[in-house]
Coordinates of all heavy atoms in Angstrom, one line a residue:
M120 N 81.3 89.7 113.8 CA 80.9 91.1 113.7 C 79.4 91.0 113.6 O 78.8 90.2 112.8 CB 81.5 91.8 112.5 CG 81.2 93.2 112.5 SD 82.1 94.1 111.2 CE 83.8 93.7 111.4
S121 N 78.7 92.0 114.3 CA 77.2 92.0 114.3 C 76.7 92.4 112.9 O 77.3 93.1 112.1 CB 76.7 92.9 115.4 OG 76.8 94.2 115.0
T122 N 75.5 92.0 112.7 CA 74.8 92.3 111.4 C 74.6 93.8 111.3 O 74.8 94.4 110.2 CB 73.4 91.6 111.4 OG1 73.6 90.2 111.6 CG2 72.7 91.9 110.0
E123 N 74.4 94.5 112.4 CA 74.2 95.9 112.3 C 75.5 96.6 111.9 O 75.5 97.6 111.1 CB 73.8 96.4 113.7 CG 73.5 97.9 113.8 CD 73.1 98.4 115.2 OE1 72.6 97.5 116.0 OE2 73.2 99.6 115.4
V124 N 76.6 96.2 112.4 CA 77.9 96.8 112.1 C 78.2 96.5 110.6 O 78.7 97.4 109.9 CB 79.1 96.2 113.0 CG1 80.4 96.6 112.5 CG2 78.8 96.7 114.4
E125 N 78.0 95.2 110.1 CA 78.2 94.9 108.7 C 77.3 95.7 107.8 O 77.8 96.2 106.8 CB 78.0 93.4 108.5 CG 79.0 92.5 109.1 CD 78.7 91.1 108.9 OE1 77.7 90.7 108.4 OE2 79.6 90.3 109.4
E126 N 76.1 96.0 108.2 CA 75.2 96.8 107.4 C 75.7 98.3 107.3 O 75.7 98.9 106.3 CB 73.8 96.8 107.9 CG 72.8 97.6 107.1 CD 72.8 97.3 105.7 OE1 72.9 96.2 105.3 OE2 72.6 98.3 104.9
T127 N 76.2 98.8 108.4 CA 76.8 100.1 108.5 C 78.0 100.2 107.6 O 78.2 101.2 106.8 CB 77.1 100.5 109.9 OG1 76.0 100.5 110.7 CG2 77.7 101.9 110.0
M128 N 78.8 99.2 107.6 CA 80.0 99.2 106.7 C 79.6 99.1 105.3 O 80.2 99.8 104.4 CB 81.0 98.0 107.1 CG 81.6 98.0 108.5 SD 82.5 99.5 108.8 CE 81.3 100.4 109.8
R129 N 78.6 98.4 104.9 CA 78.2 98.3 103.5 C 77.6 99.7 103.1 O 77.8 100.1 102.0 CB 77.1 97.2 103.4 CG 77.7 95.8 103.2 CD 76.7 94.8 102.7 NE 75.8 94.5 103.7 CZ 76.0 93.5 104.7 NH1 77.1 92.9 104.7 NH2 75.0 93.3 105.6
R130 N 76.9 100.3 104.0 CA 76.3 101.6 103.7 C 77.4 102.7 103.5 O 77.3 103.5 102.6 CB 75.4 102.1 104.9 CG 74.5 103.2 104.5 CD 73.5 103.5 105.6 NE 74.3 103.6 106.8 CZ 73.9 103.3 108.0 NH1 72.6 102.9 108.2 NH2 74.6 103.4 109.1
I131 N 78.4 102.7 104.3 CA 79.6 103.6 104.1 C 80.2 103.3 102.7 O 80.5 104.2 102.0 CB 80.6 103.4 105.2 CG1 80.1 104.0 106.5 CG2 81.9 104.1 104.9 CD1 80.9 103.7 107.8
G132 N 80.4 102.0 102.4 CA 81.0 101.6 101.2 C 80.3 102.0 99.9 O 80.8 102.1 98.8
K133 N 79.0 102.3 100.1 CA 78.2 102.7 98.9 C 78.3 104.1 98.6 O 77.8 104.5 97.5 CB 76.7 102.3 99.1 CG 76.5 100.8 99.1 CD 75.0 100.5 99.3 CE 74.8 99.0 99.4 NZ 73.4 98.6 99.6
H134 N 78.9 104.9 99.4 CA 79.0 106.4 99.1 C 79.9 106.5 97.9 O 80.9 105.8 97.7 CB 79.6 107.1 100.3 CG 78.6 107.3 101.4 ND1 77.8 108.4 101.5 CD2 78.3 106.6 102.5 CE1 77.1 108.3 102.6 NE2 77.4 107.2 103.2
V135 N 79.6 107.6 97.1 CA 80.4 107.9 95.9 C 81.9 108.1 96.3 O 82.2 108.8 97.2 CB 79.9 109.1 95.2 CG1 80.7 109.5 94.0 CG2 78.4 109.0 94.8
G136 N 82.7 107.4 95.5 CA 84.2 107.5 95.7 C 84.8 106.6 96.7 O 86.0 106.4 96.7
V137 N 84.0 106.0 97.6 CA 84.6 105.1 98.6 C 85.2 103.8 97.9 O 84.5 103.2 97.2 CB 83.6 104.7 99.7 CG1 84.2 103.6 100.6 CG2 83.2 105.9 100.5
Q138 N 86.4 103.6 98.2 CA 87.1 102.5 97.6 C 87.3 101.3 98.6 O 87.4 100.2 98.2 CB 88.5 102.9 97.0 CG 88.3 103.9 95.9 CD 89.7 104.3 95.4 OE1 90.7 104.3 96.1 NE2 89.7 104.8 94.1
D139 N 87.4 101.7 99.8 CA 87.7 100.6 100.8 C 87.3 101.1 102.2 O 87.4 102.3 102.5 CB 89.2 100.2 100.8 CG 89.4 98.8 101.3 OD1 88.5 98.2 101.8 OD2 90.5 98.3 101.1
V140 N 86.8 100.2 103.0 CA 86.5 100.4 104.4 C 87.3 99.4 105.2 O 87.2 98.2 104.9 CB 85.0 100.3 104.7 CG1 84.7 100.5 106.2 CG2 84.2 101.3 103.9
I141 N 88.1 99.8 106.1 CA 88.9 98.9 106.9 C 88.7 99.2 108.4 O 88.7 100.3 108.8 CB 90.4 99.2 106.6 CG1 90.7 99.0 105.1 CG2 91.3 98.3 107.5 CD1 92.0 99.5 104.7
I142 N 88.5 98.1 109.2 CA 88.4 98.2 110.6 C 89.5 97.3 111.2 O 89.7 96.2 110.7 CB 87.1 97.8 111.2 CG1 86.0 98.7 110.6 CG2 87.1 97.8 112.7 CD1 84.6 98.2 111.1
T143 N 90.3 97.9 112.1 CA 91.3 97.1 112.8 C 91.2 97.1 114.3 O 90.5 98.0 114.8 CB 92.7 97.6 112.5 OG1 92.9 98.9 113.1 CG2 93.0 97.7 111.0
D144 N 91.8 96.2 115.0 CA 91.8 96.3 116.4 C 92.9 97.3 116.8 O 93.6 97.9 116.0 CB 92.0 95.0 117.1 CG 93.3 94.3 116.8 OD1 94.2 94.9 116.2 OD2 93.5 93.1 117.2
K145 N 93.1 97.5 118.1 CA 94.1 98.4 118.6 C 95.6 98.1 118.2 O 96.5 98.9 118.2 CB 94.0 98.7 120.1 CG 94.3 97.4 120.9 CD 94.1 97.7 122.4 CE 94.3 96.4 123.2 NZ 94.0 96.6 124.6
D146 N 95.8 96.8 117.8 CA 97.1 96.3 117.4 C 97.3 96.3 115.9 O 98.2 95.7 115.4 CB 97.4 94.9 118.0 CG 97.4 94.9 119.5 OD1 97.9 95.9 120.1 OD2 96.8 94.0 120.1
A147 N 96.3 97.0 115.2 CA 96.3 97.1 113.7 C 96.1 95.7 113.0 O 96.5 95.6 111.8 CB 97.6 97.8 113.2
K148 N 95.5 94.8 113.7 CA 95.1 93.5 113.0 C 93.7 93.7 112.3 O 92.8 94.2 112.9 CB 95.1 92.4 114.0 CG 96.4 92.1 114.6 CD 96.4 91.1 115.7 CE 95.9 89.7 115.2 NZ 95.8 88.7 116.3
L149 N 93.6 93.3 111.1 CA 92.4 93.5 110.3 C 91.2 92.7 111.0 O 91.3 91.6 111.3 CB 92.5 92.9 108.9 CG 93.3 93.8 107.9 CD1 93.4 93.1 106.6 CD2 92.7 95.2 107.7
I150 N 90.1 93.5 111.1 CA 88.9 92.9 111.6 C 87.9 92.8 110.5 O 87.2 91.9 110.3 CB 88.3 93.7 112.8 CG1 89.2 93.6 114.0 CG2 86.9 93.2 113.1 CD1 88.8 94.5 115.1
Y151 N 87.9 93.9 109.7 CA 87.0 94.0 108.5 C 87.7 94.7 107.4 O 88.4 95.7 107.6 CB 85.7 94.8 109.0 CG 84.7 95.0 107.9 CD1 83.7 94.1 107.7 CD2 84.7 96.2 107.1 CE1 82.8 94.3 106.7 CE2 83.8 96.4 106.1 CZ 82.8 95.4 105.9 OH 81.9 95.6 104.9
H152 N 87.4 94.2 106.2 CA 88.0 94.8 105.0 C 87.1 94.5 103.9 O 86.9 93.3 103.5 CB 89.4 94.2 104.7 CG 89.9 94.3 103.4 ND1 90.2 95.5 102.8 CD2 90.2 93.4 102.4 CE1 90.6 95.3 101.5 NE2 90.6 94.1 101.3
D153 N 86.4 95.5 103.3 CA 85.5 95.3 102.2 C 85.9 96.3 101.1 O 85.8 97.5 101.3 CB 84.1 95.6 102.7 CG 83.0 95.3 101.6 OD1 83.3 94.5 100.7 OD2 82.0 95.9 101.7
S154 N 86.3 95.8 100.0 CA 86.9 96.6 99.0 C 86.0 96.6 97.7 O 85.7 95.5 97.2 CB 88.3 96.2 98.7 OG 88.8 96.9 97.6
K155 N 85.8 97.8 97.2 CA 85.2 97.9 95.8 C 86.2 97.7 94.8 O 85.9 97.3 93.6 CB 84.5 99.2 95.7 CG 83.2 99.4 96.4 CD 82.7 100.8 96.0 CE 81.4 101.1 96.7 NZ 80.9 102.4 96.3
T156 N 87.4 98.0 95.1 CA 88.5 97.9 94.1 C 89.2 96.6 94.3 O 88.7 95.7 95.0 CB 89.6 99.1 94.4 OG1 90.1 98.9 95.6 CG2 88.9 100.4 94.2
N157 N 90.4 96.4 93.8 CA 91.1 95.2 93.9 C 92.2 95.3 95.0 O 93.2 94.6 95.0 CB 91.8 94.9 92.6 CG 90.8 94.5 91.5 OD1 89.7 94.0 91.8 ND2 91.1 94.9 90.3
M158 N 91.9 96.1 96.1 CA 92.9 96.1 97.2 C 92.9 94.8 97.9 O 91.9 94.3 98.3 CB 92.5 97.2 98.2 CG 93.6 97.4 99.3 SD 93.1 98.6 100.6 CE 93.5 100.1 99.7
S159 N 94.1 94.2 97.9 CA 94.2 92.9 98.6 C 94.2 93.1 100.1 O 94.4 94.2 100.6 CB 95.5 92.3 98.1 OG 96.6 93.0 98.7
S160 N 94.0 92.0 100.8 CA 94.1 92.0 102.2 C 95.5 92.4 102.7 O 95.6 93.1 103.7 CB 93.7 90.6 102.8 OG 92.4 90.4 102.6
Q161 N 96.5 92.0 101.9 CA 97.9 92.4 102.2 C 98.0 93.9 102.2 O 98.6 94.5 103.0 CB 98.8 91.7 101.3 CG 100.3 92.0 101.6 CD 101.2 91.2 100.7 OE1 100.8 90.7 99.7 NE2 102.5 91.1 101.1
D162 N 97.5 94.5 101.1 CA 97.5 96.0 101.0 C 96.7 96.7 102.1 O 97.1 97.7 102.7 CB 97.1 96.5 99.6 CG 98.1 96.2 98.5 OD1 99.3 96.0 98.8 OD2 97.7 96.2 97.3
A163 N 95.6 96.1 102.4 CA 94.7 96.7 103.5 C 95.5 96.6 104.8 O 95.4 97.6 105.6 CB 93.4 95.9 103.6
Q164 N 96.2 95.5 105.0 CA 97.0 95.4 106.3 C 98.1 96.4 106.3 O 98.4 97.0 107.3 CB 97.6 94.0 106.4 CG 98.3 93.8 107.7 CD 97.5 94.0 108.9 OE1 96.5 93.3 109.1 NE2 97.8 94.9 109.8
K165 N 98.7 96.7 105.1 CA 99.8 97.7 105.0 C 99.2 99.1 105.4 O 99.8 99.9 106.2 CB 100.4 97.8 103.6 CG 101.6 98.7 103.5 CD 102.1 98.9 102.1 CE 102.5 97.6 101.4 NZ 103.1 97.9 100.1
Y166 N 98.0 99.4 104.8 CA 97.4 100.7 105.2 C 97.1 100.7 106.7 O 97.4 101.7 107.4 CB 96.0 100.8 104.5 CG 96.1 101.5 103.1 CD1 96.6 100.8 102.0 CD2 95.6 102.8 102.9 CE1 96.6 101.4 100.8 CE2 95.6 103.4 101.7 CZ 96.1 102.7 100.6 OH 96.2 103.3 99.4
A167 N 96.6 99.6 107.2 CA 96.2 99.6 108.6 C 97.4 99.8 109.5 O 97.4 100.6 110.5 CB 95.5 98.2 108.9
S168 N 98.5 99.1 109.2 CA 99.7 99.3 110.1 C 100.3 100.7 110.0 O 100.6 101.3 111.1 CB 100.8 98.3 109.6 OG 100.4 97.0 109.7
S169 N 100.4 101.2 108.8 CA 100.9 102.6 108.7 C 100.0 103.6 109.3 O 100.5 104.5 110.0 CB 101.1 102.9 107.2 OG 102.0 102.1 106.6
L170 N 98.7 103.5 109.1 CA 97.8 104.5 109.7 C 97.7 104.3 111.2 O 97.4 105.3 111.9 CB 96.4 104.4 109.0 CG 96.4 104.9 107.6 CD1 95.2 104.5 106.9 CD2 96.6 106.4 107.5
A171 N 97.8 103.1 111.7 CA 97.8 103.0 113.2 C 99.0 103.7 113.8 O 98.9 104.4 114.8 CB 97.9 101.5 113.5
Q172 N 100.2 103.6 113.2 CA 101.3 104.4 113.7 C 101.1 105.9 113.6 O 101.4 106.6 114.5 CB 102.6 104.0 112.9 CG 103.1 102.6 113.1 CD 104.2 102.2 112.1 OE1 104.9 103.1 111.6 NE2 104.4 100.9 111.9
L173 N 100.6 106.3 112.5 CA 100.3 107.7 112.3 C 99.2 108.2 113.3 O 99.4 109.3 113.9 CB 99.8 108.0 110.9 CG 99.6 109.5 110.5 CD1 100.9 110.3 110.7 CD2 99.1 109.6 109.1
T174 N 98.3 107.4 113.6 CA 97.2 107.7 114.6 C 97.9 107.9 116.0 O 97.5 108.9 116.7 CB 96.1 106.6 114.6 OG1 95.5 106.5 113.3 CG2 95.1 107.0 115.7
T175 N 98.8 107.0 116.3 CA 99.5 107.1 117.6 C 100.2 108.5 117.7 O 100.2 109.2 118.7 CB 100.4 105.9 117.8 OG1 99.6 104.7 117.8 CG2 101.2 106.1 119.1
Q176 N 100.9 108.8 116.6 CA 101.7 110.1 116.6 C 100.8 111.3 116.6 O 101.0 112.2 117.4 CB 102.6 110.1 115.4 CG 103.7 109.1 115.4 CD 104.5 109.1 114.1 OE1 104.0 109.5 113.1 NE2 105.7 108.5 114.2
A177 N 99.7 111.2 115.9 CA 98.7 112.4 115.9 C 98.1 112.5 117.2 O 97.9 113.6 117.7 CB 97.7 112.1 114.8
R178 N 97.7 111.4 117.9 CA 97.1 111.5 119.2 C 98.1 112.1 120.2 O 97.7 112.9 121.0 CB 96.7 110.1 119.7 CG 96.1 110.1 121.1 CD 95.6 108.7 121.4 NE 94.2 108.6 120.9 CZ 93.7 107.5 120.3 NH1 94.4 106.4 120.2 NH2 92.5 107.5 119.9
S179 N 99.4 111.7 120.1 CA 100.4 112.3 120.9 C 100.5 113.8 120.8 O 100.7 114.6 121.7 CB 101.8 111.7 120.7 OG 101.8 110.3 121.1
V180 N 100.5 114.3 119.5 CA 100.6 115.7 119.2 C 99.4 116.4 119.9 O 99.6 117.5 120.5 CB 100.6 116.0 117.7 CG1 100.4 117.5 117.4 CG2 101.9 115.5 117.1
V181 N 98.2 115.9 119.7 CA 97.0 116.5 120.3 C 97.1 116.6 121.8 O 96.8 117.6 122.4 CB 95.7 115.8 119.9 CG1 94.5 116.2 120.6 CG2 95.5 115.9 118.4
R182 N 97.6 115.5 122.4 CA 97.7 115.5 123.9 C 98.8 116.4 124.4 O 98.8 117.0 125.5 CB 97.9 114.1 124.4 CG 96.6 113.3 124.3 CD 96.7 111.9 124.9 NE 95.4 111.2 124.8 CZ 95.3 109.9 124.9 NH1 96.4 109.2 125.0 NH2 94.1 109.4 124.9
D183 N 99.9 116.5 123.6 CA 101.0 117.4 124.0 C 100.5 118.9 124.0 O 100.9 119.6 124.8 CB 102.2 117.3 123.0 CG 103.0 116.0 123.2 OD1 102.8 115.3 124.3 OD2 103.8 115.7 122.4
L184 N 99.7 119.2 123.0 CA 99.2 120.6 122.9 C 98.1 120.8 124.0 O 98.0 122.0 124.5 CB 98.5 120.8 121.5 CG 99.5 120.8 120.4 CD1 98.8 120.8 119.1 CD2 100.5 121.9 120.5
D185 N 97.4 119.8 124.4 CA 96.3 120.0 125.4 C 96.1 118.6 126.1 O 95.4 117.8 125.5 CB 95.0 120.5 124.8 CG 93.9 120.7 125.8 OD1 94.1 120.4 127.0 OD2 92.9 121.2 125.5
P186 N 96.7 118.4 127.2 CA 96.5 117.1 127.9 C 95.1 116.6 128.2 O 94.8 115.5 128.4 CB 97.3 117.2 129.2 CG 98.2 118.4 129.0 CD 97.5 119.3 128.0
Q187 N 94.2 117.6 128.2 CA 92.8 117.3 128.4 C 92.0 116.9 127.1 O 90.8 116.5 127.2 CB 92.0 118.5 129.0 CG 92.7 118.9 130.3 CD 92.6 117.8 131.4 OE1 91.6 117.2 131.6 NE2 93.7 117.6 132.1
N188 N 92.7 116.9 126.0 CA 92.1 116.7 124.7 C 92.5 115.3 124.2 O 93.4 114.7 124.7 CB 92.5 117.8 123.7 CG 91.5 118.0 122.6 OD1 90.5 117.3 122.5 ND2 91.8 119.0 121.8
D189 N 91.8 114.8 123.2 CA 92.1 113.6 122.5 C 91.8 113.6 121.0 O 90.9 114.4 120.6 CB 91.4 112.4 123.2 CG 91.9 111.0 122.9 OD1 93.0 111.0 122.2 OD2 91.3 110.0 123.2
L190 N 92.4 112.8 120.3 CA 92.2 112.8 118.8 C 90.9 112.0 118.6 O 90.6 111.0 119.1 CB 93.4 112.0 118.1 CG 93.3 111.8 116.6 CD1 93.5 113.2 115.9 CD2 94.4 110.9 116.2
S191 N 90.0 112.6 117.7 CA 88.7 112.0 117.4 C 88.6 111.6 116.0 O 87.8 110.7 115.6 CB 87.6 112.8 117.9 OG 87.6 114.1 117.2
F192 N 89.3 112.3 115.1 CA 89.2 112.1 113.7 C 90.3 112.8 112.9 O 90.8 113.9 113.4 CB 87.9 112.6 113.2 CG 87.6 112.4 111.7 CD1 87.0 111.2 111.3 CD2 87.8 113.3 110.8 CE1 86.7 111.0 110.0 CE2 87.6 113.1 109.4 CZ 87.0 111.9 109.0
F193 N 90.8 112.2 111.8 CA 91.7 113.0 111.0 C 91.6 112.5 109.5 O 91.1 111.4 109.3 CB 93.2 113.0 111.5 CG 93.9 111.7 111.4 CD1 94.7 111.4 110.2 CD2 93.9 110.8 112.4 CE1 95.4 110.2 110.1 CE2 94.6 109.6 112.3 CZ 95.4 109.3 111.2
R194 N 92.0 113.3 108.6 CA 91.9 113.1 107.2 C 93.2 113.4 106.5 O 93.8 114.4 106.8 CB 90.8 113.9 106.7 CG 90.5 113.7 105.2 CD 89.2 114.4 104.8 NE 89.4 115.8 104.8 CZ 88.4 116.7 104.4 NH1 87.2 116.3 104.2 NH2 88.7 118.0 104.4
I195 N 93.6 112.6 105.6 CA 94.8 112.8 104.8 C 94.3 112.8 103.3 O 93.6 111.9 102.9 CB 95.8 111.7 105.0 CG1 96.2 111.5 106.4 CG2 97.0 111.9 104.1 CD1 96.9 110.3 106.7
R196 N 94.8 113.8 102.6 CA 94.4 113.8 101.1 C 95.7 113.9 100.3 O 96.6 114.7 100.5 CB 93.6 115.0 100.9 CG 93.0 115.0 99.5 CD 92.0 116.1 99.3 NE 91.6 116.0 97.9 CZ 90.4 116.5 97.5 NH1 89.6 117.0 98.3 NH2 90.1 116.5 96.2
S197 N 95.8 113.0 99.3 CA 96.9 113.0 98.4 C 96.3 113.1 97.0 O 95.0 113.2 96.8 CB 97.7 111.7 98.5 OG 96.9 110.6 98.1
K198 N 97.1 113.0 96.0 CA 96.6 113.1 94.6 C 95.6 112.0 94.3 O 94.6 112.1 93.6 CB 97.7 113.1 93.6 CG 98.5 114.4 93.7 CD 99.6 114.4 92.6 CE 100.5 115.7 92.8 NZ 101.6 115.6 91.8
K199 N 95.9 110.8 94.8 CA 95.2 109.6 94.4 C 94.1 109.2 95.4 O 93.1 108.6 95.0 CB 96.1 108.4 94.3 CG 97.0 108.4 93.1 CD 97.8 107.1 93.0 CE 98.7 107.1 91.8 NZ 99.5 105.9 91.7
H200 N 94.3 109.5 96.7 CA 93.3 109.0 97.7 C 93.1 110.1 98.8 O 93.9 111.0 99.0 CB 93.9 107.8 98.4 CG 94.1 106.6 97.6 ND1 95.4 106.2 97.2 CD2 93.3 105.8 97.0 CE1 95.3 105.2 96.4 NE2 94.0 104.9 96.2
E201 N 92.0 109.9 99.4 CA 91.7 110.6 100.6 C 91.4 109.6 101.7 O 90.6 108.6 101.4 CB 90.4 111.5 100.4 CG 90.1 112.3 101.7 CD 89.0 113.3 101.4 OE1 88.0 113.0 100.7 OE2 89.1 114.4 101.9
I202 N 92.1 109.6 102.8 CA 91.9 108.6 103.8 C 91.4 109.3 105.1 O 92.0 110.2 105.6 CB 93.3 107.9 104.1 CG1 93.9 107.3 102.8 CG2 93.1 106.8 105.2 CD1 95.3 106.9 102.9
M203 N 90.3 108.8 105.6 CA 89.7 109.3 106.8 C 89.9 108.2 107.9 O 89.6 107.0 107.6 CB 88.3 109.6 106.5 CG 88.1 110.8 105.5 SD 86.5 111.0 104.9 CE 86.4 109.6 103.8
V204 N 90.3 108.7 109.0 CA 90.6 107.8 110.1 C 89.8 108.2 111.4 O 89.9 109.4 111.8 CB 92.1 107.7 110.5 CG1 92.3 106.7 111.6 CG2 92.9 107.3 109.2
A205 N 89.0 107.3 111.9 CA 88.3 107.6 113.2 C 88.8 106.6 114.2 O 88.4 105.4 114.2 CB 86.8 107.4 112.9
P206 N 89.7 107.1 115.1 CA 90.2 106.2 116.1 C 89.3 106.0 117.3 O 88.5 107.0 117.6 CB 91.5 106.8 116.5 CG 91.3 108.3 116.2 CD 90.4 108.3 115.1
D207 N 89.3 104.9 117.9 CA 88.5 104.6 119.1 C 89.5 104.0 120.1 O 90.7 103.7 119.7 CB 87.4 103.7 118.8 CG 86.4 103.5 120.0 OD1 85.8 104.5 120.4 OD2 86.4 102.3 120.5
K208 N 89.1 103.7 121.3 CA 90.0 103.2 122.3 C 90.5 101.8 121.8 O 91.7 101.5 122.0 CB 89.3 103.0 123.6 CG 90.1 102.6 124.8 CD 89.4 102.5 126.1 CE 88.8 101.1 126.2 NZ 88.1 100.8 127.5
D209 N 89.6 101.0 121.3 CA 90.0 99.6 120.9 C 90.0 99.3 119.4 O 90.4 98.3 119.0 CB 89.0 98.6 121.5 CG 89.0 98.7 123.1 OD1 90.1 98.8 123.6 OD2 88.0 98.6 123.7
F210 N 89.6 100.3 118.6 CA 89.5 100.1 117.2 C 89.9 101.3 116.4 O 89.9 102.4 116.9 CB 88.0 99.7 116.8 CG 87.4 98.6 117.5 CD1 86.6 98.8 118.6 CD2 87.7 97.3 117.1 CE1 86.1 97.7 119.3 CE2 87.2 96.2 117.7 CZ 86.4 96.4 118.9
L211 N 90.2 101.0 115.1 CA 90.4 102.1 114.1 C 89.5 101.9 112.9 O 89.5 100.8 112.4 CB 91.8 102.1 113.6 CG 92.9 102.7 114.4 CD1 94.3 102.5 113.7 CD2 92.7 104.2 114.7
L212 N 88.8 102.9 112.5 CA 87.9 102.8 111.3 C 88.6 103.7 110.3 O 88.9 104.9 110.5 CB 86.5 103.3 111.6 CG 85.6 103.6 110.3 CD1 85.4 102.3 109.6 CD2 84.4 104.3 110.7
M213 N 88.9 103.1 109.1 CA 89.6 103.8 108.0 C 88.7 103.7 106.8 O 88.3 102.6 106.4 CB 91.0 103.2 107.8 CG 91.9 103.4 108.9 SD 93.3 102.3 108.9 CE 92.8 101.1 110.1
V214 N 88.6 104.8 106.1 CA 87.9 104.8 104.8 C 88.8 105.4 103.8 O 89.3 106.5 104.0 CB 86.6 105.7 104.9 CG1 85.9 105.7 103.6 CG2 85.6 105.1 106.0
V215 N 89.0 104.7 102.7 CA 89.9 105.2 101.6 C 88.9 105.5 100.4 O 88.1 104.7 100.1 CB 90.8 104.1 101.2 CG1 91.7 104.5 100.0 CG2 91.7 103.6 102.3
Q216 N 89.1 106.7 99.9 CA 88.2 107.1 98.8 C 89.0 107.9 97.8 O 90.1 108.4 98.0 CB 87.0 107.9 99.3 CG 87.3 109.3 99.9 CD 86.1 110.0 100.3 OE1 85.0 109.4 100.5 NE2 86.1 111.3 100.5
N217 N 88.4 108.0 96.6 CA 88.9 108.7 95.5 C 88.4 110.2 95.7 O 87.2 110.4 95.6 CB 88.4 108.2 94.2 CG 88.9 108.9 93.0 OD1 89.4 110.1 93.1 ND2 88.7 108.4 91.8
P218 N 89.4 111.1 95.9 CA 88.9 112.5 96.2 C 88.3 113.2 95.0 O 87.6 114.2 95.2 CB 90.2 113.2 96.6 CG 91.3 112.4 96.0 CD 90.8 111.0 95.9
S219 N 88.4 112.7 93.8 CA 87.8 113.4 92.7 C 86.6 112.7 92.2 O 86.1 113.0 91.1 CB 88.9 113.6 91.6 OG 89.4 112.3 91.2
A220 N 86.2 111.6 92.9 CA 85.0 110.9 92.4 C 83.8 111.8 92.5 O 83.6 112.6 93.4 CB 84.7 109.7 93.3
G221 N 83.0 111.7 91.4 CA 81.8 112.6 91.3 C 82.1 114.0 90.8 O 81.1 114.7 90.5
Q222 N 83.3 114.3 90.6 CA 83.7 115.6 90.0 C 84.0 115.5 88.5 O 84.2 116.5 87.8 CB 84.9 116.2 90.7 CG 84.6 116.5 92.2 CD 85.8 117.1 92.9 OE1 86.9 117.2 92.3 NE2 85.7 117.3 94.2
E223 N 84.1 114.3 88.0 CA 84.5 114.1 86.6 C 83.4 114.7 85.6 O 83.8 115.2 84.6 CB 84.6 112.6 86.2 CG 85.9 111.9 86.8 CD 85.6 111.4 88.3 OE1 84.5 111.2 88.7 OE2 86.6 111.2 89.0
S224 N 82.2 114.7 86.0 CA 81.1 115.2 85.1 C 81.0 116.7 85.2 O 80.2 117.3 84.5 CB 79.8 114.5 85.5 OG 79.4 114.8 86.8
K225 N 81.7 117.4 86.1 CA 81.5 118.8 86.3 C 82.4 119.6 85.3 O 83.3 119.2 84.8 CB 81.9 119.2 87.7 CG 80.9 118.8 88.7 CD 81.3 119.3 90.1 CE 80.3 118.8 91.1 NZ 80.7 119.2 92.4

């Protein structure tokens, strides 16, 4: 992975609340995994596999609604995490963050 890409991943990881940045290839194999928390590579792979399947389904929904359109980004929010996914033709970029980070002091 190029130095420029690694620096970009580190910069994303420094944002408040970001717990993990994951990049996979189109087959959901881990390419990059940098965790501020104790998320193991095995857990990162589980996220990657599940989100790759969800991305395929979401892309199908978008194309079913408008065949000229394509999925460019989606976000899932739960009580514990917010997961943002930016799919590309050959890669998936996933960012896992704490949705309440930075709000504790308010």
